[in-house]
Amino acid sequence: MMSNVYNWQIGREMDYPHEEQHPKWQFAFVFNVNRCLGCQTCTMACKSTWSFSKGQELMWWNNVESKPFGGYPQHWDSKLLTMLENANPGGQKWDAREKETEKPYGKFDGMTIFDAAEKKPNPDGGPQRALGYLPTDAEWRSPNIHEDAAAGDHFKAKDQYGGEAQLPEHKVWFFHLARICNHCTYPGCLGSCPRNAIYKRPEDGIVLVDQSRCRGYRKCVEGCPYKKAMYRPTTRTGEKCIGCFPRLEGKDKKVSPTGAPAETRCMSSCVGKIRLQGLVKIDKDGKWTKDPQNPMNFLIRERQIALPLYPQFGTEPNGFYIPPRWVPRGYLNQMFGPGVESAIEQYSCPDRELLAVLQLFRANQQIIFKFEIEKGKKVGEIEVTMPNGDSKTQELFNDTVIGFNKFGEEVVRVTVEEPTFERPADAHLNSI
């Protein structure tokens, strides 16, 4: 029996197997794809913390894929996109003409994985709860397959290995896509579980598996469109990213001496500073409480520079991405929806406030609930080539952005212009 729920990312109501319920706060994150190095430090931080035991060899709760050819499991997105297209030929389209506060990307007129579920019956009889599939063993074997493998017409000729690297789009391109569980508002894993063994925590929206109820049917693996629910053969149960909830609860006293929520292991280990994690306040009706001084609200709802991953799947993921500038727009529109052009335009030449907030990425291990900006002096101007080819002057100000934790305590203070420190020669032998 399907319920009717509202999904703000696709701008309409949709079918979902459970009644609409929402947590008080929602775990969310923003990844800046433009900065990702593909170093896999986040991957190994997660692996060494949570999935190092027997039976967990295939589990990479955090992974970094090189798009367009990489994926873990292989082809996870292209397979599901093909299944949805076959279920609704020619109908998987966006109508971005009417944008509103509660449908900022317009309206998706196609089928979600829940709308299309009846198109693929279960072997046991009756329709599926969510359109999906079980990856083969071979598809789980190579977590970094096709790493750094580029796409582009120039690779068709054996004697040519180059090509223009010129914005707005490169002829030869790839990018790194870091992924964890999106802790969706309408999770495909939760909706697919016949045992009701999966639930969202009411205090922070983290999606967890109650392994005492799980019987290892793998319906969660089948129903998760991002394939972030995984089966452990040694225990015959499902496992997945738990959002490092002990850190969210402030139980790591070294990081959070006052008990303030802290970032997950993958976030806090990020070398490229591509990650910013947060908690957003959710109203009783499921809407995000308007709070422009919360970095998540500012980047996702106010500026819409960070976009959801495959919002057309219908799970309302709470993981958001600043799309890469150099990638063909058609590919990005399929992956992040119709907000790509606006997001890239803002990122190409950020205004004063946005540039200050971007300094908060990986600036502190405690989660930042509020920011303030202290204005500084003007330090320069830069001519920027915009995505449409026009030239724009960016004014740079040495503003200071201040981040506060859940208790209003100042935890970070960063300037736009990085300071220079000169070490005294009498104290340091390697000083020049």
Side-chain angles (χ1 to χ4, degrees), residues 222-244:
E222 188 174 6
C224 173
Y226 306 98
K227 294 297 175 260
K228 281 300 177 184
M230 301 175 187
Y231 176 70
R232 184 173 181 177
T234 53
T235 60
R236 297 185 180 181
T237 56
E239 293 186 7
K240 60 179 294 298
C241 161
I242 63 171
C244 290

Side-chain angles (χ1 to χ4, degrees), residues 10-177:
I10 63 172
R12 65 172 175 84
E13 292 183 337
M14 66 172 198
D15 291 335
Y16 188 64
H18 294 280
E19 293 289 333
E20 187 164 4
Q21 291 184 332
H22 298 281
K24 296 178 181 178
W25 293 84
Q26 176 59 58
F27 170 100
F29 60 85
V30 173
F31 289 173
N32 185 353
V33 180
N34 297 270
R35 291 180 176 177
C36 186
L37 310 172
C39 65
Q40 305 286 358
T41 305
C42 53
T43 304
M44 297 313 300
C46 177
K47 187 69 173 174
S48 62
T49 304
W50 296 114
S51 56
F52 53 83
S53 301
K54 189 175 181 179
Q56 293 182 309
E57 291 84 358
L58 83 160
M59 293 186 181
W60 299 88
W61 295 353
N62 180 109
N63 72 296
V64 182
E65 305 169 357
S66 292
K67 291 299 185 184
F69 302 125
Y72 188 72
Q74 291 175 43
H75 323 300
W76 66 271
D77 47 359
S78 58
K79 272 194 168 184
L80 187 56
L81 289 168
T82 300
M83 292 175 70
L84 285 166
E85 178 63 29
N86 291 338
N88 186 30
Q92 298 295 96
K93 296 179 180 179
W94 288 87
D95 183 353
R97 290 173 296 181
E98 295 184 14
K99 298 182 179 181
E100 302 171 7
T101 302
E102 286 308 312
K103 50 179 181 179
Y105 317 124
K107 181 184 176 184
F108 179 62
D109 292 325
M111 286 186 173
T112 68
I113 62 171
F114 306 110
D115 297 330
E118 62 183 18
K119 298 286 186 177
K120 186 183 178 187
N122 268 319
D124 304 330
Q128 289 188 336
R129 290 184 173 185
L131 186 69
Y133 73 97
L134 283 174
T136 65
D137 289 348
E139 290 169 348
W140 288 111
R141 285 175 185 158
S142 304
N144 64 336
I145 193 168
H146 300 306
E147 192 165 59
D148 295 355
D153 292 338
H154 284 270
F155 279 115
K156 291 180 180 178
K158 293 181 180 180
D159 59 340
Q160 290 181 305
Y161 299 96
E164 289 188 18
Q166 182 176 344
L167 293 171
E169 297 177 19
H170 291 182
K171 291 183 178 179
V172 177
W173 60 274
F174 68 89
F175 66 94
H176 302 298
L177 184 73

